[in-house]
Amino acid sequence: MGLRPSNTLMTDYLFNNSMTIPESGCWIWMGTTTQKGYGRLMINYKTIRAHRLAYEVFKGPIPENILVCHQCDIPTCINPNHLFLGTSNDNIQDIIIKRRWFNSNKIHCKRGHNIMDENNIYRRPNNPIWRFCKQCRRERTREYEKGLKSKWKN
């Protein structure tokens, strides 16, 4: 990430701008955050995420196209023991295992069909987080085909 002040200065900076939560062990970033809650700071006129800096300072360089993921699922946590490297796919699998994706707790679709039944949901092969109600899909397909048939009758 370019030229950085010494690790001692960075270590002090990270400690001075975080607060330790004894119950969880998280080091909560007290500086500015992104809209999604990740800590951020400026170094050499470049905005970087606090957890990425913490990983680099305490554990070493981050390879290109690799994410720094949180085991604790707290975006403001900068404790290097709670951080691990992974690909986007690894992060998605972590999200699925921990059931923490958007709408993961929904049990019915917007039309009231049960989407907790694996036989009633469709998942995209390339993105298993997305769930679609099979019953709603069938109904939409029937309505669409019915509309096409009625157009051709005239």
Side-chain angles (χ1 to χ4, degrees):
M1 278 197 170
L3 296 174
R4 288 241 169 90
S6 73
N7 270 4
T8 306
L9 286 174
M10 283 290 115
T11 302
D12 290 344
Y13 185 77
L14 290 168
F15 279 125
N16 290 334
N17 286 285
S18 63
M19 179 177 74
T20 303
I21 307 296
E23 296 82 15
S24 65
C26 289
W27 303 352
I28 303 300
W29 177 253
M30 301 303 290
T32 59
T33 58
T34 65
Q35 286 182 332
K36 292 187 177 184
Y38 293 93
R40 69 176 178 188
L41 63 146
M42 294 281 287
I43 294 182
N44 295 335
Y45 304 103
K46 185 175 179 184
T47 302
I48 62 168
R49 301 249 171 126
H51 66 288
R52 291 182 67 84
L53 175 64
Y55 188 93
E56 282 193 66
V57 167
F58 293 104
K59 291 192 171 184
I62 303 166
E64 203 171 312
N65 298 323
I66 294 294
L67 304 175
V68 176
C69 307
H70 291 86
Q71 289 176 344
C72 59
D73 299 329
I74 309 293
T76 51
C77 181
I78 60 168
N79 183 341
N81 295 324
H82 293 189
L83 304 174
F84 66 96
L85 295 179
T87 63
S88 183
N89 241 6
D90 296 334
N91 202 28
I92 289 171
Q93 289 306 313
D94 187 48
I95 288 168
I96 291 169
I97 290 167
K98 294 177 181 175
R99 293 189 56 81
R100 60 177 169 78
W101 68 90
F102 176 72
N103 287 334
S104 66
N105 294 325
K106 280 190 176 179
I107 58 173
H108 294 96
C109 74
K110 64 184 178 182
R111 291 190 178 92
H113 305 129
N114 181 5
I115 57 172
M116 292 304 286
D117 177 8
E118 283 294 322
N119 294 323
N120 190 37
I121 62 169
Y122 165 77
R123 295 184 189 276
R124 287 184 181 166
N126 61 340
N127 191 346
I129 291 176
W130 286 79
R131 298 179 298 174
F132 299 95
C133 175
K134 282 185 181 177
Q135 199 167 341
C136 287
R137 273 183 90 120
R138 280 193 296 270
E139 289 172 13
R140 276 195 308 272
T141 301
R142 274 190 222 118
E143 288 171 17
Y144 176 75
E145 289 172 349
K146 187 177 176 182
L148 285 179
K149 288 177 185 173
S150 67
K151 284 181 185 175
W152 287 104
K153 284 184 180 177
N154 294 334

